Amino acid sequence: MIWHLVAAIFAGLGAAGIGLLLRVISGKRLPRWIVPACAGLGMLGYQIHYEYSWIDHKQSQLPATTQVVATEEGEAFWRPWTYFFPMTTAFSVVDGNSMVPSEADGQQLVEFILYRFEKDYVDRLTHQAFLMNCTTQEQLPLVGEERQPRLSALRSVDSDSALYQAVCGNT
């Protein structure tokens, strides 16, 4: 987070330098407030760029075996531009290396880990192990160190969903 503050300050200084250069080139006909206005616009521009490129940056850090299965977009009142262009605030991925296919009673089962990345003032990463029954299109979380299934949380998954395709598409 400190590096984003440093980057925003330098973006503001660079934009202020452009404003100062424009003021000098115009023979000081531009008002003096153009310099701090350019600095503010430079800092705001950097922040907007960072917010909208966050997901691409995070995905570039992930291994090639991961696949994005869900994204969440949101708005914030202190970011009025997000009402017109919602920004991605969270996404979930499945790592192909974490999948363990098996078969029980003639049904295809796949154990996998779902990773969720959430953009906040500090990025948050949570993960949860799941068991997907590809035959009946059902998913349930595995809890504890023994990874025991929690049957009360059984839910059905649509065969067109990105999660089902990522987990069961190769079986």
Side-chain angles (χ1 to χ4, degrees), residues 90-154:
F91 67 99
S92 300
V93 299
V94 173
D95 187 2
N97 291 338
S98 73
M99 291 188 219
V100 181
S102 62
E103 190 171 324
D105 298 329
Q107 297 184 356
Q108 292 291 102
L109 303 174
V110 179
E111 186 177 330
F112 66 97
I113 299 175
L114 184 67
Y115 297 93
R116 176 179 162 78
F117 293 86
E118 193 169 345
K119 182 180 180 307
D120 209 353
Y121 65 94
V122 175
D123 294 341
R124 284 190 261 171
L125 169 65
T126 56
H127 63 281
Q128 172 70 49
F130 286 94
L131 181 67
M132 175 83 74
N133 186 333
C134 296
T135 308
T136 61
Q137 299 176 356
E138 295 174 330
Q139 166 190 340
L140 59 127
L142 303 174
V143 293
E145 290 189 24
E146 300 85 29
R147 292 191 171 182
Q148 296 297 316
R150 187 172 28 167
L151 296 174
S152 63
L154 182 70

Side-chain angles (χ1 to χ4, degrees), residues 1 6 9 15 31-33 50 55 60 71-72 80 84 86 91 102-105 119 130 137-138 163-164 168 170:
M1 179 153 171
V6 170
I9 289 170
R32 283 186 290 174
W33 56 261
Y50 168 72
I55 187 169
S60 72
T71 59
E72 295 176 22
F84 301 106
F91 67 99
S102 62
E103 190 171 324
D105 298 329
K119 182 180 180 307
F130 286 94
Q137 299 176 356
E138 295 174 330
L163 178 63
Y164 183 82
C168 297
N170 298 335

Side-chain angles (χ1 to χ4, degrees), residues 5 15 19 23 27 31-32 44 49 68 73 80 87 97 100-101 107 144 152 157:
L5 179 63
R23 183 164 153 63
R32 283 186 290 174
L44 185 63
H49 168 74
V68 176
E73 293 183 340
M87 68 179 193
N97 291 338
V100 181
Q107 297 184 356
S152 63
V157 178

